Amino acid sequence: ALHREGDKVAKGEVLFEIDAQPARLRLAKAEALLRRAAARLKKAKGDEEAEADVAAARADVDEARYAVEAATVRSPLAGRVRTRSADVGTVV
């Protein structure tokens, strides 16, 4: 754990991190699919289906980036760390 009960924390300070590797893998896959959709659109030149594929791929990339960022939990305010209600191995 990065902090223990009673530790002072500043706003925005990292409280804990969740394993982001699965999210990073999803992001890499989403970025690859976006590149592929963009290449198809370039060949299709104005095809609505190809444009929709690119839009969907961009949304998948955004969603995967969010999952990577969400793996780091930061303090929303300055204060002290209180008792944790979950430990390693607890499903939350």
Side-chain angles (χ1 to χ4, degrees):
L2 297 173
H3 294 286
R4 295 180 181 200
E5 184 177 352
D7 287 352
K8 288 183 179 182
V9 293
K11 181 178 180 177
E13 190 171 344
V14 174
L15 295 176
F16 60 91
E17 295 176 330
I18 300 168
D19 181 11
Q21 186 59 23
R24 284 190 200 102
L25 293 171
R26 283 194 310 271
L27 176 57
K29 181 179 178 181
E31 288 173 336
L33 292 173
L34 174 57
R35 286 191 301 275
R36 183 168 68 185
R40 286 182 182 162
L41 177 61
K42 191 174 181 179
K43 288 180 184 179
K45 295 183 182 166
D47 178 31
E48 286 184 30
E49 186 175 337
E51 289 175 7
D53 288 345
V54 169
R58 281 191 182 124
D60 288 344
V61 167
D62 290 343
E63 182 179 33
R65 279 190 183 130
Y66 176 79
V68 169
E69 291 170 11
T72 300
V73 178
R74 298 180 180 277
S75 177
L77 48 89
R80 289 193 182 272
V81 175
R82 293 188 49 154
T83 304
R84 294 186 321 259
S85 60
D87 292 306
V88 173
T90 304
V91 177
V92 294

